[in-house]
Amino acid sequence: MSRAIVIGAGIGGMASAIRMAAKGYEVHIYESNTYPGGKLTEIKKEGFRFDAGPSLFTMPELIEELRSISGTNHDFNYKKLDEVCRYFYQDGTVIQGWNDAVRFSKEAARATGIDQRKVVRHLNKSRLIYESTAHLFLEKSLHKIKSYLSFRTALSMFKLPLLNIFTTMNRANEKALANDKMIQLFNRYATYNGSDPYRAPGILNIIPHLEFSKGAFFPEGGMHSITNFLYLVCLEQKVTFHFKEKVGQIIVENGRALGIQTVSAKVTADLVICNMDVVPAYRKLMPVEKAPGKILEQERSSSALIFYWGIKATFEELILHNIFFTEDYKKEFEYLFSKNEIYSDPTVYINISSKEKSDDAKEGMENWFVMINAPRNIGQDWDSLILDARKNIIEKLSRSLGRDIASLIVTEEVLDPRSIESKTQSYQGSLYGTASNNKMAAFFRHPNFSRRIKGLYFCGGSVHPGGGIPLALSSAKIVDSMIKPALND
């Protein structure tokens, strides 16, 4: 029977495994951790449950497609959010991010005084970018000529001057909105792939369309239920998991991937799909093979510092997703990418899954996932940075919410760039692989296949099309399009 090996049981790896099993391959996943999911795991502590990693769920159709491909009877239930995110500014302004473009534009006008028509036009532009590029960027490899040989792609190329590719996100937002609060709100979407809105191309304004038009969702059971669902489907499809079995080498002979070497065994395969960050994949698993140096040396994305707090109170003014903005957004990104430090007044994101799933916290309490953007790990004094950041976050939230947050914390866990790197093999703790701080990095990440090694493919957040749940799932779909069904007797 034809065999496929997947390195890494992250979301992209399990999605690839499901697709390969559907094509008739005997699939084996090798994972150095004792659990599946990669960054999408959970923490349970003292009566609280936290989704440890990604907290925003969009494009559920990619999960539905895996349900269809596998023919599973396992349910995956989720609901659409009415209000995607609530935004808090330091002058007391609050904006409700309704999951409807018209309703949101009215709210933005009410809260900031902006002309509602400007917001509508900007969201329509986001829709145009999505409809003009998604079929190519999310569904095809940008590294194969045949991807460009269609009328639809040619039409998209013709539209490029209209899609903000020749300006930055910030400049595009300034020109369209001319309102400081709304510019900051739309600049925030650069962080969805760990980039700097003052340098990232304006075409990344595609992202707001996913929230305000296509919608954001909450999975029944929390974000970790995505991991659980994919894992169950893999098992149902007879995918074999090898947990706590670290891959030490991808075996390459005569320009072809022939399998892997683990601590305990040499395993042959017809193809290898690597769900590992491409930097350690080349440097650790294929050290003698010529690596794509320019890609591996590209600027890395930001990382994160996350506090998981059990809070012995409830806050009616907060919802599932909440943002507390900094006063000086540009300076925050200068600290992240130029100084590789944490700004003293960081933008704070709070996710409270107990707002939608009450048993994630004790009665009368809430589970706070408190995250700030952090620089990649290059050996900073993280212990000191974490102490300072914790103090600044607590002061900021206490001031904004009018309550002493420190006295309400009854349990705490911390995840920082060092532990992100050690737990997930993400080089330098970067959440999204390469930062999209220039046009080439935004669109020409590492391809989903090897140009030099036949039978070797790549999925996950460090390769095309990028990081985050929907893009990791899309990477598995692109890999699938390149592989023929198994040739079994």
Side-chain angles (χ1 to χ4, degrees):
M1 188 175 189
S2 297
R3 177 183 295 166
I5 287 175
V6 179
I7 302 172
I11 297 303
M14 287 193 290
S16 292
I18 292 168
R19 290 177 177 276
M20 292 304 100
K23 281 191 164 176
Y25 286 89
E26 173 193 317
V27 185
H28 293 257
I29 299 183
Y30 288 81
E31 169 58 54
S32 60
N33 286 312
T34 59
Y35 52 85
K39 298 180 182 73
L40 195 55
T41 58
E42 67 179 359
I43 297 170
K44 293 181 178 180
K45 185 175 182 182
E46 299 176 22
F48 296 90
R49 191 199 71 85
F50 304 90
D51 287 310
S55 56
L56 178 66
F57 183 42
T58 58
M59 300 181 71
E61 62 268 22
L62 292 169
I63 299 288
E64 295 292 352
E65 187 173 300
L66 292 172
R67 282 190 85 234
S68 177
I69 288 170
S70 65
T72 183
N73 290 320
H74 289 296
D75 290 327
F76 181 73
N77 299 315
Y78 52 90
K79 69 175 183 178
K80 193 171 187 178
L81 299 173
D82 287 331
E83 187 181 351
V84 178
C85 188
R86 193 164 290 179
Y87 302 92
F88 297 81
Y89 296 82
Q90 294 195 32
D91 66 357
T93 299
V94 179
I95 299 177
Q96 293 181 269
W98 296 110
N99 195 358
D100 174 87
V102 174
R103 190 177 183 188
F104 170 69
S105 66
K106 290 180 180 179
E107 167 67 5
R110 179 204 62 78
T112 71
I114 192 172
D115 185 335
Q116 179 187 346
R117 292 170 295 181
K118 288 185 177 181
V119 181
V120 171
R121 284 196 295 267
H122 201 46
L123 289 173
N124 286 339
K125 184 66 168 284
S126 182
R127 178 190 294 273
L128 172 66
I129 296 172
Y130 179 85
E131 292 177 347
S132 301
T133 62
H135 66 96
L136 176 63
F137 183 69
L138 297 181
E139 299 173 12
K140 297 179 181 180
S141 170
L142 296 182
H143 304 81
K144 288 185 176 289
I145 293 176
K146 66 178 183 180
S147 297
Y148 301 91
L149 302 179
S150 72
F151 175 78
R152 191 178 183 189
T153 299
L155 185 61
S156 295
M157 293 299 171
F158 181 75
K159 292 180 181 178
L160 280 179
L162 304 175
L163 306 182
N164 293 337
I165 195 169
F166 301 113
T167 188
T168 65
M169 287 185 75
N170 178 67
R171 288 197 194 102
N173 291 333
E174 285 182 333
K175 183 178 180 181
L177 300 166
N179 179 289
D180 289 344
K181 288 184 172 63
M182 295 306 297
I183 292 166
Q184 189 172 31
L185 190 153
F186 279 91
N187 277 353
R188 183 181 79 87
Y189 289 101
T191 66
Y192 280 38
N193 63 9
S195 301
D196 177 353
Y198 301 93
R199 290 192 290 152
I203 198 168
L204 292 185
N205 279 327
I206 187 176
I207 301 172
H209 175 67
L210 297 179
E211 284 192 19
F212 292 112
S213 296
K214 291 179 70 67
F217 303 81
F218 183 78
E220 185 179 291
M223 294 297 289
H224 190 245
S225 65
I226 298 172
T227 291
N228 290 337
F229 173 76
L230 295 179
Y231 181 58
L232 285 173
V233 174
C234 280
L235 295 178
E236 186 178 74
Q237 295 295 97
K238 303 292 191 290
V239 173
T240 302
F241 285 82
H242 304 264
F243 291 114
K244 212 171 182 180
E245 189 151 6
K246 189 174 183 179
V247 175
Q249 179 187 358
I250 295 174
I251 301 169
V252 180
E253 292 182 12
N254 299 319
R256 175 171 285 277
L258 299 180
I260 61 170
Q261 178 71 55
T262 71
V263 174
S264 60
K266 177 180 179 180
V267 187
T268 60
D270 297 276
L271 60 92
V272 176
I273 301 174
C274 185
N275 184 213
M276 186 180 185
D277 189 305
V278 290
V279 175
Y282 278 101
R283 293 180 179 172
K284 295 180 180 180
L285 304 189
M286 299 179 289
V288 301
E289 299 297 324
K290 185 171 182 178
K294 287 185 178 180
I295 291 179
L296 299 191
E297 292 166 7
Q298 286 178 335
E299 182 180 19
R300 300 292 292 183
S301 81
S302 59
S303 186
L305 173 59
I306 307 173
F307 296 94
Y308 307 93
W309 289 338
I311 299 291
K312 60 176 182 179
T314 59
F315 288 74
E316 295 301 320
E317 62 267 52
L318 301 180
I319 61 170
L320 174 65
H321 301 292
N322 310 272
I323 292 287
F324 291 80
F325 278 120
T326 177
E327 193 74 37
D328 191 337
Y329 218 22
K330 189 171 186 178
K331 184 167 286 188
E332 180 176 2
F333 284 98
E334 287 175 357
Y335 270 72
L336 283 172
F337 288 101
S338 298
K339 297 183 178 182
N340 291 302
E341 296 178 8
I342 296 175
Y343 184 42
S344 59
D345 175 29
T347 295
V348 181
Y349 165 71
I350 305 179
N351 174 265
I352 311 173
S353 64
S354 60
K355 294 288 187 180
E356 301 291 337
K357 183 175 178 292
S358 60
D359 61 353
D360 278 355
K362 296 178 181 179
E363 186 174 356
M365 301 187 186
E366 294 178 345
N367 62 332
W368 284 20
F369 167 115
V370 181
M371 185 185 84
I372 61 172
N373 295 308
R376 62 196 174 100
N377 175 32
I378 55 172
Q380 297 96 322
D381 181 356
W382 285 107
D383 292 338
S384 176
L385 288 173
I386 290 167
L387 283 175
D388 288 344
R390 186 181 189 276
K391 172 179 174 290
N392 291 332
I393 291 169
I394 288 174
E395 288 180 354
K396 181 188 187 87
L397 295 178
S398 297
R399 186 171 59 251
S400 296
L401 295 170
R403 296 165 79 173
D404 178 20
I405 301 301
S407 67
L408 301 177
I409 300 171
V410 296
T411 186
E412 177 180 82
E413 288 285 329
V414 182
L415 186 70
D416 64 66
R418 296 170 302 181
S419 46
I420 291 171
E421 183 170 16
S422 64
K423 289 180 179 181
T424 68
Q425 298 295 305
S426 299
Y427 181 58
Q428 295 182 333
S430 298
L431 292 181
Y432 306 95
T434 300
S436 297
N437 287 337
N438 61 64
K439 289 187 286 291
M440 293 302 292
F443 290 97
F444 293 100
R445 301 164 71 89
H446 190 285
N448 303 102
F449 63 97
S450 171
R451 297 186 187 278
R452 297 176 178 273
I453 303 169
K454 293 182 179 180
L456 177 60
Y457 302 89
F458 297 89
C459 67
S462 70
V463 299
H464 177 73
I469 294 171
L471 299 191
L473 294 173
S474 293
S475 74
K477 184 174 182 177
I478 293 169
V479 168
D480 183 27
S481 70
M482 299 176 182
I483 298 174
K484 295 180 180 179
L487 298 174
N488 297 317
D489 295 333

